[in-house]
Amino acid sequence: MYNKQSIRRRIALVAVGVAALALTATNTLAAQNEPRQPKPTVVLVHGAFADASTWNGVIDRLQRDGYPVIAPANPLRGIASDATYLASVVKTIPGPVVLAGHSYGGAVIGQAAAGLPNVKSLVFVDAFALDVGEPAGSIGERFPNNLLGPALITRPYALPGGQTGTDVYVQPSRFREVIGADVPEHAIALAAAAQRPVDQSAFVEPPTAAAWKTIPSWFVIGRQDKAIDPAGLRFMAKRAHGRTTEIDASHLGLISHAGTVADVIERAAR
């Protein structure tokens, strides 16, 4: 038999238990209803002799994982003008941004990100991470183990006022050997035919900013890169104190190893 005091004690304990369960349920419901922070926008910048389609495999993976992605056309007219254009795109994006650049695109993001507070991380994929006053061509001279120089051809083009500029292409017959030896032949043949040229000045124009000095940076390096010497890529990554991932890939590791590249970008985004 329970006395009245014992019954009251049991009732009180039950009441406390019910209150605790209700509080737990309330907190759980509040946590579920709490708005999640949106994922940062990933901006992908292609390099020379290419267009934004080189990022297609990476874009597919990032979008499936819920990341908003923009892959603007890089004008390929020179670091200053290309970086100014890219910065104008990034300024229109609300919230945090991850900037990723491939090849020459790395030189562009390294300058464009300077002074943009919403850029939280940089990703260089077989890319130039240049210092202030250091043109891309100087990296090729310092680390000459590449096939790019002898494979280039030039074509003049008209500028306003009667002046002439010079566009640079990779010889289609050497495109696979130099740019993407691990990409299927039919795909690389299409890429060679559709390549977008870069103005010759892009190789000699020195950047005026190096955002990797203040923004956390990640690097993907293809060990079989024949367009930029892997030793040069390692030098730039080490100088930037970057988090580095090496892959057995050509200069087009963003195509042949799109999953790995996407993983690195998502690590930078987190």
Side-chain angles (χ1 to χ4, degrees):
M1 296 291 293
Y2 298 112
N3 56 35
K4 291 182 179 180
Q5 186 175 1
S6 175
I7 291 172
R8 283 196 294 269
R9 188 180 299 115
R10 288 176 177 272
I11 292 172
L13 289 172
V14 170
V16 169
V18 170
L21 287 172
L23 181 61
T24 300
T26 300
N27 289 339
T28 301
L29 185 61
Q32 290 174 344
N33 292 333
E34 199 172 283
R36 294 182 179 180
Q37 291 298 319
K39 291 185 175 182
T41 299
V42 178
V43 178
L44 303 171
V45 182
H46 67 82
F49 323 119
D51 59 27
S53 68
T54 54
W55 288 106
N56 282 354
V58 175
I59 293 170
D60 179 60
R61 287 161 174 81
L62 292 174
Q63 289 181 335
R64 280 193 275 124
D65 289 341
Y67 287 91
V69 182
I70 298 176
N74 186 353
L76 303 179
R77 298 296 86 187
I79 291 176
S81 61
D82 295 344
T84 299
Y85 168 73
L86 178 61
S88 71
V89 173
V90 175
K91 287 175 182 176
T92 68
I93 300 172
V97 168
V98 176
L99 265 182
H102 172 246
S103 192
Y104 165 73
V108 176
I109 70 170
Q111 177 150 322
L116 295 180
N118 61 330
V119 177
K120 303 302 180 184
S121 54
L122 303 172
V123 183
F124 296 86
V125 182
D126 290 303
F128 291 107
L130 301 175
D131 203 350
V132 174
E134 179 183 65
S138 68
I139 296 295
E141 293 171 0
R142 185 171 178 180
F143 300 94
N145 185 25
N146 66 79
L147 303 176
L148 183 60
L152 297 177
I153 56 175
T154 59
R155 292 189 180 119
Y157 67 93
L159 288 168
Q163 295 180 310
T164 301
T166 302
D167 270 340
V168 181
Y169 297 78
V170 176
Q171 297 176 44
S173 62
R174 300 198 63 187
F175 199 89
R176 187 166 195 262
E177 172 194 14
V178 177
I179 303 295
D182 57 348
V183 175
E185 285 193 36
H186 71 280
I188 210 70
L190 291 173
Q195 64 175 297
R196 291 185 54 212
V198 63
D199 188 277
Q200 194 172 45
S201 65
F203 294 109
V204 296
E205 181 183 353
T208 57
W212 50 262
K213 292 184 176 181
T214 57
I215 300 175
S217 300
W218 281 253
F219 289 77
V220 180
I221 296 173
R223 297 190 187 98
Q224 282 81 52
D225 195 325
K226 301 299 183 185
I228 305 176
D229 188 340
L233 296 171
R234 294 183 186 105
F235 162 75
M236 291 183 283
K238 183 177 180 180
R239 178 174 66 181
H241 304 290
R243 300 157 178 83
T244 302
T245 299
E246 293 203 9
I247 54 179
D248 290 320
S250 70
H251 191 61
L252 290 180
L254 75 170
I255 295 177
S256 61
H257 291 69
T260 300
V261 172
D263 287 344
V264 172
I265 292 172
E266 290 190 17
R267 287 202 293 272
R270 290 193 291 269

